[in-house]
Amino acid sequence: MIKGLSFNALRVGKKYRLTNWGEHHEFEIESILANGDFEVKDIYTIERYHLRDLIKYGKGKDFEILELE
């Protein structure tokens, strides 16, 4: 069972923390793409990437998306 939010609940301009395979990523959603992917900006490094890049190797047992305050 997946903990936290689903991809359908993610909103542009909101900040989230994704945990997957022991790694943690904090990012802001910049845009929702037509293919269901998201363009995101890392909160700390300002690097831009697609959310699917973080889950391209699958979802680990610790997979979770939480909204940051």
Side-chain angles (χ1 to χ4, degrees):
M1 177 162 182
I2 296 175
K3 300 181 290 185
L5 301 171
S6 71
F7 290 112
N8 295 342
L10 304 182
R11 301 290 178 248
V12 172
K14 298 284 187 175
K15 296 178 181 177
Y16 301 93
R17 172 185 285 154
L18 179 134
T19 302
N20 194 27
W21 298 108
E23 295 183 359
H24 304 282
H25 301 274
E26 293 186 2
F27 54 86
E28 179 179 347
I29 303 286
E30 291 199 314
S31 65
I32 301 172
L33 306 176
N35 65 0
D37 198 0
F38 299 86
E39 195 169 69
V40 302
K41 179 175 71 173
D42 188 281
I43 291 174
Y44 303 108
T45 66
I46 317 172
E47 178 184 0
R48 289 179 167 83
Y49 48 88
H50 290 179
L51 186 57
R52 295 229 171 148
D53 291 339
L54 299 179
I55 59 169
K56 65 184 172 185
Y57 299 113
K59 297 176 184 172
K61 291 181 181 180
D62 62 345
F63 183 84
E64 182 176 45
I65 300 175
L66 299 173
E67 187 173 348
L68 298 175
E69 303 269 331

